[in-house]
Amino acid sequence: MQKITVKASQSYDVIIGSGVLGSAAGYIGDVLRSRRTVIVSDDNVFPIYGTKLKETLEKSGFAVSEFVFPHGEQSKSHAVLLNLYGFLAAQNITRSDSIIALGGGVTGDLAGFAAASYLRGIDYVQIPTSLLAQIDSSVGGKTAVDIPAGKNLVGAFKQPKLVIADTDTLSTLPDAFFDDGMGEAVKYGMIWSEELFDLIAEGNIKDHLEEMIVKCVDIKREVVETDEYDKGLRMILNFGHTLGHAIEKTQNFCGLSHGKAVAVGMYLITSAAEKHGIIKDSISGKLRSCLETNRLPWSVDIPAETLFENSVNDKKRFSDDINVIICKTIGKADIVKLPISEYKKLITE
Ligand SMILES: NC(=O)c1ccc[n+]([C@@H]2O[C@H](COP(=O)([O-])OP(=O)(O)OC[C@H]3O[C@@H](n4cnc5c(N)ncnc54)[C@H](O)[C@@H]3O)[C@@H](O)[C@H]2O)c1
Ligand SMILES: [Zn+2]
């Protein structure tokens, strides 16, 4: 078991390790003010881990109820959020009570935003069970729901009181979602740590899961502590994402999943920057082989022109500059401000 303390506007511990969920009631009891809580979870995760968690909490004197919603991104919606508010009200949840988010990033974002907004804010604990949630979304306090105009457009910064990441829960995570999380793990290696990149590039990552997760969370901790409200450094977490989002959008969110689109986005921007002399050392080959080793794609059959068009929003297309995240070496990211015309050349020529 390892503990990382995040010193943001609110300090909290991230407990990472095999079997830590078994001791959850103790950890949670130490940070919450009341013994009344609601577990928020989806219909895949609750049956596997929720029932046991509820029992453990009840044995420690907690009064627990559960709000279980259908799994998937479409539940990160105002409709489900409204149902959740209604549930919290029906359960007479007060300012001193809390929410426990048990599940992947969808659960964490939805439950976190409910916690940020219900009664102007109540405490919440993150128990991430997907790789993406353990290394990324459960730490840092970004919470949100989607609206028809776009993903994550309504949200709030709200740090959790505690994060418990039990690496054993990843044993039931379907491979496709595991691989998705690995896309973000490669990103952390590229932007911050060659050592982490090398660990992932070796290939047998399931033998080093705890080590990898701890390294990723520690990077996220440092970035969030420096720039909690996403005004500068935190932007480097978007490495690969501008083109990744463009791929997801071009494919109407029915093609490559997020982590895989980010994998391609990282490779495309790196090889383009190499080709245009922005990167002096040749690193795209290493990145490509790391992606392949981890069952991640590095190319997609979409014209560069379309990717460009879909990676800048309409307002930006003709005038502004765009911040592009480029890793000039493995383990170090730069925020490069380019006029849109230069960015267009970079992507399409
Ligand atoms: N808040 C942030 O900082 C942040 C950062 C990155 C991503 N996100 C958000 O995270 C979401 C994606 O997260 P995700 O990939 O975890 O999606 P998810 O929550 O939908 O989980 C993926 C799938 O795996 C299932 N699952 C999760 N854990 C499981 C387990 N241990 N065993 C079996 N099944 C399990 C879920 O039921 C779901 O079907 C997106 O909405 C994205 O916007 C947020
Ligand atoms: Zn991402």
Side-chain angles (χ1 to χ4, degrees), residues 42-45 48-49 71-73 76 103-109 128-133 136-144 146 151-152 169-174 177 180 184 220 234 258:
D42 74 24
D43 57 359
N44 281 337
V45 175
I48 316 178
Y49 302 107
H71 65 275
E73 182 74 28
K76 232 175 87 173
V106 164
T107 303
D109 279 11
T129 63
S130 71
L131 181 58
L132 178 133
D136 191 353
S137 59
S138 66
V139 176
K142 276 193 184 176
T143 71
D146 306 331
K151 277 190 64 174
N152 296 323
T169 61
L170 301 179
S171 64
T172 56
L173 183 71
F177 292 110
D180 242 13
E184 304 283 356
K220 181 114 190 218
R234 198 165 175 169
H258 177 74

Side-chain angles (χ1 to χ4, degrees), residues 186-207:
V186 173
K187 178 194 77 180
Y188 282 114
M190 285 295 291
I191 63 168
W192 203 270
S193 161
E194 188 169 15
E195 191 193 343
L196 170 61
F197 180 90
D198 289 343
L199 177 75
I200 296 169
E202 267 173 32
N204 47 345
I205 201 62
K206 289 214 168 159
D207 298 338

Side-chain angles (χ1 to χ4, degrees), residues 29-254:
D30 286 346
V31 297
L32 293 181
R33 284 174 288 170
S34 94
R35 289 287 173 274
R36 178 92 188 84
T37 191
V38 172
I39 298 174
V40 176
S41 192
D42 74 24
D43 57 359
N44 281 337
V45 175
F46 190 81
I48 316 178
Y49 302 107
T51 320
K52 179 82 195 303
L53 174 66
K54 185 175 175 182
E55 244 177 61
T56 321
L57 285 164
E58 283 172 346
K59 273 196 195 132
S60 305
F62 276 88
V64 188
S65 43
E66 71 268 19
F67 178 85
V68 180
F69 63 88
H71 65 275
E73 182 74 28
Q74 65 284 359
S75 282
K76 232 175 87 173
S77 67
H78 268 94
V80 176
L81 181 68
L82 214 58
N83 286 342
L84 175 50
Y85 290 146
F87 183 83
L88 296 172
Q91 297 289 316
N92 296 316
I93 294 301
T94 68
R95 292 283 303 272
S96 54
D97 300 330
S98 61
I99 287 175
I100 297 175
L102 172 71
V106 164
T107 303
D109 279 11
L110 171 77
F113 185 58
S117 49
Y118 185 70
L119 300 179
R120 300 189 185 83
I122 63 174
D123 289 343
Y124 80 113
V125 169
Q126 290 269 21
I127 304 188
T129 63
S130 71
L131 181 58
L132 178 133
Q134 294 194 351
I135 64 172
D136 191 353
S137 59
S138 66
V139 176
K142 276 193 184 176
T143 71
V145 294
D146 306 331
I147 58 172
K151 277 190 64 174
N152 296 323
L153 288 188
V154 178
F157 287 96
K158 168 85 176 169
Q159 302 294 340
K161 293 292 282 184
L162 171 73
V163 182
I164 302 174
D166 188 334
T167 51
D168 290 354
T169 61
L170 301 179
S171 64
T172 56
L173 183 71
D175 283 347
F177 292 110
F178 185 87
D179 296 347
D180 242 13
M182 285 306 298
E184 304 283 356
V186 173
K187 178 194 77 180
Y188 282 114
M190 285 295 291
I191 63 168
W192 203 270
S193 161
E194 188 169 15
E195 191 193 343
L196 170 61
F197 180 90
D198 289 343
L199 177 75
I200 296 169
E202 267 173 32
N204 47 345
I205 201 62
K206 289 214 168 159
D207 298 338
H208 303 277
L209 265 186
E210 181 172 326
E211 186 185 353
M212 179 188 78
I213 293 166
V214 166
K215 283 185 166 33
C216 292
V217 168
D218 205 42
I219 294 169
K220 181 114 190 218
R221 172 197 63 74
E222 210 169 332
V223 173
V224 166
E225 284 181 353
T226 311
D227 179 26
E228 179 173 354
Y229 298 107
D230 206 0
K231 302 214 187 297
L233 180 72
R234 198 165 175 169
M235 254 191 278
I236 66 171
L237 296 174
N238 285 334
F239 177 54
H241 279 61
T242 308
L243 290 173
H245 286 146
I247 294 168
E248 291 183 271
K249 189 172 164 193
T250 310
Q251 300 177 329
N252 287 319
F253 297 92
C254 301

Side-chain angles (χ1 to χ4, degrees), residues 250-303:
T250 310
Q251 300 177 329
N252 287 319
F253 297 92
C254 301
L256 286 182
S257 53
H258 177 74
K260 293 177 188 105
V262 167
V264 178
M266 291 191 289
Y267 180 75
L268 291 182
I269 197 69
T270 303
S271 51
E274 237 168 59
K275 194 172 151 195
H276 286 75
I278 300 174
I279 299 179
K280 305 284 179 263
D281 303 339
S282 169
I283 58 170
S284 62
K286 265 182 114 175
L287 172 58
R288 179 166 148 181
S289 110
C290 176
L291 294 173
E292 279 173 345
T293 304
N294 288 282
R295 296 186 301 216
L296 289 163
W298 49 269
S299 74
V300 69
D301 196 11
I302 300 173

